[in-house]
CSV table of all heavy atoms in Angstrom, one decimal:
chain,number,residue,atom,x,y,z
A,1,PHE,N,38.6,-33.9,-7.2
A,1,PHE,CA,37.4,-34.6,-6.7
A,1,PHE,C,36.2,-33.7,-6.8
A,1,PHE,O,35.1,-34.1,-6.6
A,1,PHE,CB,37.6,-35.1,-5.2
A,1,PHE,CG,38.5,-36.2,-5.1
A,1,PHE,CD1,39.9,-36.0,-4.8
A,1,PHE,CD2,38.2,-37.5,-5.3
A,1,PHE,CE1,40.8,-37.0,-4.6
A,1,PHE,CE2,39.1,-38.5,-5.2
A,1,PHE,CZ,40.4,-38.3,-4.8
A,2,VAL,N,36.4,-32.4,-7.0
A,2,VAL,CA,35.3,-31.4,-7.0
A,2,VAL,C,35.1,-30.8,-8.4
A,2,VAL,O,34.0,-30.6,-8.8
A,2,VAL,CB,35.6,-30.4,-5.9
A,2,VAL,CG1,34.4,-29.3,-5.8
A,2,VAL,CG2,35.9,-30.9,-4.6
A,3,VAL,N,36.2,-30.5,-9.0
A,3,VAL,CA,36.1,-29.9,-10.4
A,3,VAL,C,37.0,-30.7,-11.3
A,3,VAL,O,37.9,-31.4,-10.9
A,3,VAL,CB,36.5,-28.4,-10.4
A,3,VAL,CG1,35.6,-27.6,-9.6
A,3,VAL,CG2,38.1,-28.3,-9.9
A,4,ASP,N,36.7,-30.7,-12.7
A,4,ASP,CA,37.4,-31.4,-13.7
A,4,ASP,C,38.9,-31.0,-13.7
A,4,ASP,O,39.2,-29.8,-13.6
A,4,ASP,CB,36.8,-31.2,-15.0
A,4,ASP,CG,35.5,-31.9,-15.1
A,4,ASP,OD1,35.3,-32.8,-14.4
A,4,ASP,OD2,34.6,-31.4,-15.9
A,5,PHE,N,39.8,-31.9,-13.8
A,5,PHE,CA,41.2,-31.6,-13.9
A,5,PHE,C,41.6,-31.4,-15.4
A,5,PHE,O,40.9,-31.9,-16.3
A,5,PHE,CB,42.1,-32.7,-13.4
A,5,PHE,CG,41.8,-34.1,-14.0
A,5,PHE,CD1,42.5,-34.6,-15.1
A,5,PHE,CD2,41.0,-35.0,-13.4
A,5,PHE,CE1,42.3,-35.8,-15.6
A,5,PHE,CE2,40.7,-36.3,-14.0
A,5,PHE,CZ,41.4,-36.7,-15.1
A,6,GLU,N,42.6,-30.6,-15.7
A,6,GLU,CA,42.9,-30.1,-17.0
A,6,GLU,C,43.7,-31.2,-17.8
A,6,GLU,O,43.5,-31.3,-19.0
A,6,GLU,CB,43.6,-28.8,-17.0
A,6,GLU,CG,42.8,-27.5,-16.7
A,6,GLU,CD,42.5,-27.6,-15.1
A,6,GLU,OE1,43.3,-28.1,-14.4
A,6,GLU,OE2,41.5,-26.9,-14.7
A,7,GLU,N,44.6,-31.8,-17.1
A,7,GLU,CA,45.5,-32.8,-17.8
A,7,GLU,C,45.9,-33.9,-16.9
A,7,GLU,O,45.8,-33.8,-15.7
A,7,GLU,CB,46.7,-32.0,-18.4
A,7,GLU,CG,47.5,-31.3,-17.4
A,7,GLU,CD,48.6,-30.5,-18.0
A,7,GLU,OE1,48.5,-30.1,-19.2
A,7,GLU,OE2,49.6,-30.2,-17.3
A,8,TYR,N,46.3,-35.0,-17.5
A,8,TYR,CA,46.9,-36.1,-16.7
A,8,TYR,C,48.4,-35.9,-16.3
A,8,TYR,O,49.1,-35.2,-17.1
A,8,TYR,CB,46.8,-37.5,-17.5
A,8,TYR,CG,45.4,-37.8,-17.9
A,8,TYR,CD1,44.9,-37.5,-19.2
A,8,TYR,CD2,44.5,-38.5,-17.0
A,8,TYR,CE1,43.6,-37.9,-19.5
A,8,TYR,CE2,43.3,-38.8,-17.4
A,8,TYR,CZ,42.8,-38.5,-18.7
A,8,TYR,OH,41.6,-38.8,-19.1
A,9,ASN,N,48.8,-36.4,-15.3
A,9,ASN,CA,50.2,-36.5,-14.9
A,9,ASN,C,50.8,-37.4,-16.1
A,9,ASN,O,50.5,-38.6,-16.2
A,9,ASN,CB,50.4,-37.1,-13.6
A,9,ASN,CG,51.9,-37.3,-13.2
A,9,ASN,OD1,52.5,-38.2,-13.7
A,9,ASN,ND2,52.4,-36.4,-12.4
A,10,LYS,N,51.7,-36.9,-16.8
A,10,LYS,CA,52.2,-37.5,-18.0
A,10,LYS,C,52.9,-38.9,-17.6
A,10,LYS,O,52.7,-39.9,-18.3
A,10,LYS,CB,53.2,-36.7,-18.8
A,10,LYS,CG,53.7,-37.3,-20.1
A,10,LYS,CD,54.5,-36.4,-20.9
A,10,LYS,CE,54.9,-36.9,-22.3
A,10,LYS,NZ,55.3,-38.3,-22.3
A,11,ALA,N,53.7,-38.9,-16.7
A,11,ALA,CA,54.4,-40.1,-16.3
A,11,ALA,C,53.4,-41.2,-15.9
A,11,ALA,O,53.5,-42.4,-16.3
A,11,ALA,CB,55.4,-39.9,-15.1
A,12,ASP,N,52.4,-40.8,-15.0
A,12,ASP,CA,51.4,-41.8,-14.6
A,12,ASP,C,50.5,-42.2,-15.8
A,12,ASP,O,50.1,-43.4,-15.9
A,12,ASP,CB,50.5,-41.1,-13.5
A,12,ASP,CG,51.2,-40.9,-12.2
A,12,ASP,OD1,52.3,-41.5,-12.0
A,12,ASP,OD2,50.7,-40.1,-11.4
A,13,PHE,N,50.3,-41.3,-16.7
A,13,PHE,CA,49.5,-41.7,-17.9
A,13,PHE,C,50.1,-42.8,-18.7
A,13,PHE,O,49.6,-43.8,-19.0
A,13,PHE,CB,49.2,-40.5,-18.8
A,13,PHE,CG,48.3,-40.7,-20.0
A,13,PHE,CD1,46.9,-40.6,-19.9
A,13,PHE,CD2,49.0,-41.1,-21.2
A,13,PHE,CE1,46.2,-40.8,-21.1
A,13,PHE,CE2,48.2,-41.4,-22.3
A,13,PHE,CZ,46.8,-41.2,-22.2
A,14,ASP,N,51.4,-42.5,-19.0
A,14,ASP,CA,52.2,-43.4,-19.9
A,14,ASP,C,52.4,-44.8,-19.2
A,14,ASP,O,52.4,-45.8,-19.8
A,14,ASP,CB,53.5,-42.8,-20.2
A,14,ASP,CG,53.4,-41.6,-21.1
A,14,ASP,OD1,52.4,-41.4,-21.7
A,14,ASP,OD2,54.4,-40.8,-21.2
A,15,LYS,N,52.6,-44.8,-17.9
A,15,LYS,CA,52.9,-46.0,-17.2
A,15,LYS,C,51.7,-46.8,-16.8
A,15,LYS,O,51.8,-48.1,-16.9
A,15,LYS,CB,53.7,-45.6,-15.8
A,15,LYS,CG,54.2,-46.8,-15.1
A,15,LYS,CD,55.0,-46.4,-13.9
A,15,LYS,CE,55.5,-47.6,-13.1
A,15,LYS,NZ,56.3,-47.2,-11.8
A,16,HIS,N,50.6,-46.2,-16.5
A,16,HIS,CA,49.5,-46.9,-16.0
A,16,HIS,C,48.3,-47.0,-16.8
A,16,HIS,O,47.4,-47.8,-16.8
A,16,HIS,CB,49.1,-46.4,-14.6
A,16,HIS,CG,50.2,-46.4,-13.5
A,16,HIS,ND1,50.8,-47.5,-13.2
A,16,HIS,CD2,50.8,-45.4,-12.9
A,16,HIS,CE1,51.7,-47.3,-12.3
A,16,HIS,NE2,51.8,-45.9,-12.1
A,17,LEU,N,48.0,-45.9,-17.6
A,17,LEU,CA,46.8,-45.8,-18.4
A,17,LEU,C,46.8,-46.4,-19.7
A,17,LEU,O,45.9,-47.1,-20.2
A,17,LEU,CB,46.3,-44.4,-18.5
A,17,LEU,CG,44.8,-44.0,-18.5
A,17,LEU,CD1,44.1,-44.7,-17.4
A,17,LEU,CD2,44.6,-42.5,-18.5
A,18,ILE,N,48.0,-46.3,-20.4
A,18,ILE,CA,48.1,-47.0,-21.7
A,18,ILE,C,47.9,-48.4,-21.6
A,18,ILE,O,48.6,-49.1,-20.8
A,18,ILE,CB,49.5,-46.6,-22.3
A,18,ILE,CG1,49.7,-45.1,-22.5
A,18,ILE,CG2,49.7,-47.3,-23.7
A,18,ILE,CD1,48.7,-44.4,-23.4
A,19,GLY,N,47.1,-49.0,-22.4
A,19,GLY,CA,46.8,-50.5,-22.4
A,19,GLY,C,45.9,-50.9,-21.3
A,19,GLY,O,45.8,-52.2,-21.1
A,20,SER,N,45.2,-50.0,-20.7
A,20,SER,CA,44.3,-50.4,-19.6
A,20,SER,C,42.8,-50.3,-20.0
A,20,SER,O,41.9,-50.3,-19.2
A,20,SER,CB,44.5,-49.4,-18.4
A,20,SER,OG,44.1,-48.1,-18.7
A,21,GLU,N,42.5,-50.3,-21.3
A,21,GLU,CA,41.2,-50.2,-21.8
A,21,GLU,C,40.2,-51.2,-21.2
A,21,GLU,O,39.0,-50.9,-20.9
A,21,GLU,CB,41.1,-50.3,-23.3
A,21,GLU,CG,41.8,-49.1,-24.0
A,21,GLU,CD,43.3,-49.4,-24.3
A,21,GLU,OE1,43.9,-50.2,-23.6
A,21,GLU,OE2,43.8,-48.8,-25.3
A,22,ASN,N,40.7,-52.5,-21.0
A,22,ASN,CA,39.8,-53.5,-20.5
A,22,ASN,C,39.4,-53.2,-19.1
A,22,ASN,O,38.3,-53.4,-18.7
A,22,ASN,CB,40.5,-54.8,-20.5
A,22,ASN,CG,41.8,-54.9,-19.8
A,22,ASN,OD1,42.5,-53.8,-19.6
A,22,ASN,ND2,42.3,-56.1,-19.3
A,23,VAL,N,40.2,-52.6,-18.3
A,23,VAL,CA,39.9,-52.2,-16.9
A,23,VAL,C,38.8,-51.1,-16.9
A,23,VAL,O,37.9,-51.1,-16.2
A,23,VAL,CB,41.2,-51.8,-16.1
A,23,VAL,CG1,40.8,-51.2,-14.8
A,23,VAL,CG2,42.1,-53.0,-16.0
A,24,LEU,N,39.1,-50.1,-17.8
A,24,LEU,CA,38.2,-48.9,-17.8
A,24,LEU,C,36.9,-49.3,-18.3
A,24,LEU,O,35.9,-48.8,-17.7
A,24,LEU,CB,38.9,-47.8,-18.7
A,24,LEU,CG,40.3,-47.3,-18.3
A,24,LEU,CD1,40.7,-46.2,-19.2
A,24,LEU,CD2,40.3,-46.9,-16.9
A,25,ASN,N,36.8,-50.1,-19.2
A,25,ASN,CA,35.5,-50.5,-19.8
A,25,ASN,C,34.7,-51.4,-18.8
A,25,ASN,O,33.5,-51.2,-18.7
A,25,ASN,CB,35.7,-51.2,-21.2
A,25,ASN,CG,35.9,-50.3,-22.3
A,25,ASN,OD1,35.1,-49.4,-22.5
A,25,ASN,ND2,36.9,-50.6,-23.1
A,26,TYR,N,35.5,-52.2,-18.1
A,26,TYR,CA,34.8,-53.1,-17.1
A,26,TYR,C,34.1,-52.2,-16.0
A,26,TYR,O,32.9,-52.5,-15.7
A,26,TYR,CB,35.8,-54.0,-16.5
A,26,TYR,CG,35.3,-55.0,-15.5
A,26,TYR,CD1,35.0,-56.3,-15.9
A,26,TYR,CD2,35.0,-54.6,-14.1
A,26,TYR,CE1,34.4,-57.2,-14.9
A,26,TYR,CE2,34.5,-55.5,-13.2
A,26,TYR,CZ,34.2,-56.8,-13.6
A,26,TYR,OH,33.7,-57.7,-12.7
A,27,PHE,N,34.9,-51.2,-15.6
A,27,PHE,CA,34.3,-50.4,-14.5
A,27,PHE,C,33.2,-49.5,-15.0
A,27,PHE,O,32.3,-49.2,-14.3
A,27,PHE,CB,35.4,-49.6,-13.8
A,27,PHE,CG,36.1,-50.4,-12.7
A,27,PHE,CD1,37.0,-51.3,-13.0
A,27,PHE,CD2,35.6,-50.3,-11.4
A,27,PHE,CE1,37.6,-52.0,-11.9
A,27,PHE,CE2,36.1,-51.0,-10.3
A,27,PHE,CZ,37.1,-51.8,-10.6
A,28,LYS,N,33.4,-49.0,-16.2
A,28,LYS,CA,32.4,-48.1,-16.8
A,28,LYS,C,31.0,-48.9,-16.8
A,28,LYS,O,29.9,-48.4,-16.4
A,28,LYS,CB,32.7,-47.7,-18.2
A,28,LYS,CG,31.7,-46.8,-18.9
A,28,LYS,CD,32.1,-46.5,-20.3
A,28,LYS,CE,31.0,-45.8,-21.1
A,28,LYS,NZ,31.3,-45.5,-22.5
A,29,LYS,N,31.0,-50.1,-17.3
A,29,LYS,CA,29.8,-51.0,-17.4
A,29,LYS,C,29.2,-51.2,-16.0
A,29,LYS,O,28.0,-51.1,-15.8
A,29,LYS,CB,30.1,-52.2,-18.1
A,29,LYS,CG,28.9,-53.1,-18.3
A,29,LYS,CD,29.3,-54.4,-19.1
A,29,LYS,CE,28.0,-55.3,-19.3
A,29,LYS,NZ,28.5,-56.6,-20.0
A,30,SER,N,30.1,-51.6,-15.1
A,30,SER,CA,29.7,-51.9,-13.7
A,30,SER,C,29.1,-50.7,-13.0
A,30,SER,O,28.0,-50.8,-12.3
A,30,SER,CB,30.8,-52.4,-12.9
A,30,SER,OG,31.4,-53.6,-13.5
A,31,ILE,N,29.6,-49.5,-13.2
A,31,ILE,CA,29.2,-48.3,-12.5
A,31,ILE,C,27.9,-47.8,-13.1
A,31,ILE,O,27.1,-47.3,-12.3
A,31,ILE,CB,30.3,-47.3,-12.5
A,31,ILE,CG1,31.4,-47.7,-11.6
A,31,ILE,CG2,29.8,-45.9,-12.2
A,31,ILE,CD1,32.7,-46.8,-11.6
A,32,GLN,N,27.7,-48.0,-14.4
A,32,GLN,CA,26.5,-47.4,-15.0
A,32,GLN,C,25.2,-48.3,-14.4
A,32,GLN,O,24.1,-47.7,-14.4
A,32,GLN,CB,26.6,-47.7,-16.5
A,32,GLN,CG,27.5,-46.6,-17.2
A,32,GLN,CD,27.6,-46.9,-18.6
A,32,GLN,OE1,27.7,-48.0,-19.1
A,32,GLN,NE2,27.6,-45.8,-19.4
A,33,SER,N,25.4,-49.4,-13.9
A,33,SER,CA,24.4,-50.2,-13.4
A,33,SER,C,24.1,-50.0,-12.0
A,33,SER,O,23.1,-50.6,-11.4
A,33,SER,CB,24.6,-51.7,-13.7
A,33,SER,OG,25.7,-52.2,-13.0
A,34,ILE,N,24.9,-49.2,-11.3
A,34,ILE,CA,24.8,-49.0,-9.8
A,34,ILE,C,23.7,-48.1,-9.5
A,34,ILE,O,23.6,-47.0,-10.1
A,34,ILE,CB,26.2,-48.6,-9.2
A,34,ILE,CG1,27.2,-49.7,-9.3
A,34,ILE,CG2,26.0,-48.2,-7.8
A,34,ILE,CD1,28.6,-49.2,-8.8
A,35,THR,N,22.9,-48.4,-8.4
A,35,THR,CA,21.9,-47.5,-7.9
A,35,THR,C,22.3,-47.0,-6.5
A,35,THR,O,21.9,-45.9,-6.1
A,35,THR,CB,20.6,-48.1,-7.9
A,35,THR,OG1,20.6,-49.3,-7.1
A,35,THR,CG2,20.1,-48.4,-9.3
A,36,ASP,N,23.1,-47.8,-5.8
A,36,ASP,CA,23.5,-47.5,-4.4
A,36,ASP,C,24.9,-47.0,-4.4
A,36,ASP,O,25.8,-47.8,-4.4
A,36,ASP,CB,23.2,-48.7,-3.5
A,36,ASP,CG,23.4,-48.3,-2.1
A,36,ASP,OD1,23.5,-47.1,-1.7
A,36,ASP,OD2,23.4,-49.2,-1.2
A,37,TRP,N,25.2,-45.7,-4.3
A,37,TRP,CA,26.5,-45.1,-4.4
A,37,TRP,C,27.2,-45.1,-3.1
A,37,TRP,O,27.0,-44.2,-2.3
A,37,TRP,CB,26.4,-43.7,-5.1
A,37,TRP,CG,27.7,-43.2,-5.6
A,37,TRP,CD1,28.6,-42.4,-5.0
A,37,TRP,CD2,28.3,-43.5,-6.9
A,37,TRP,NE1,29.7,-42.1,-5.9
A,37,TRP,CE2,29.5,-42.8,-7.0
A,37,TRP,CE3,27.9,-44.3,-7.9
A,37,TRP,CZ2,30.3,-42.9,-8.1
A,37,TRP,CZ3,28.7,-44.4,-9.1
A,37,TRP,CH2,29.9,-43.7,-9.1
A,38,ASN,N,27.9,-46.2,-2.8
A,38,ASN,CA,28.7,-46.2,-1.5
A,38,ASN,C,30.0,-47.0,-1.7
A,38,ASN,O,30.1,-47.8,-2.6
A,38,ASN,CB,27.7,-46.8,-0.4
A,38,ASN,CG,27.3,-48.2,-0.7
A,38,ASN,OD1,28.2,-49.1,-0.7
A,38,ASN,ND2,26.0,-48.4,-1.0
A,39,GLU,N,30.8,-46.9,-0.7
A,39,GLU,CA,32.1,-47.5,-0.7
A,39,GLU,C,32.1,-49.0,-0.7
A,39,GLU,O,32.9,-49.7,-1.3
A,39,GLU,CB,33.0,-46.9,0.4
A,39,GLU,CG,33.4,-45.4,0.2
A,39,GLU,CD,34.0,-44.7,1.4
A,39,GLU,OE1,35.2,-44.9,1.5
A,39,GLU,OE2,33.2,-44.1,2.1
């Protein structure tokens, strides 16, 4: 949360990240338009 991580947890990457491009792109677009950074 403070500094960049070096690598992904391999099991989590294979299980959850592969095939998730639609989710990542959706949030990237949504976040880029945000001005009020809150929960």
Side-chain angles (χ1 to χ4, degrees):
F1 290 96
V2 185
V3 296
D4 291 332
F5 57 90
E6 288 75 25
E7 58 186 23
Y8 300 98
N9 178 282
K10 187 177 185 308
D12 290 342
F13 180 92
D14 293 342
K15 185 176 181 180
H16 304 299
L17 210 52
I18 300 297
S20 66
E21 293 91 334
N22 59 332
V23 174
L24 303 184
N25 279 311
Y26 182 97
F27 273 84
K28 177 184 173 182
K29 182 179 179 180
S30 300
I31 286 170
Q32 285 177 321
S33 64
I34 291 175
T35 56
D36 190 9
W37 198 258
N38 61 69
E39 291 169 84

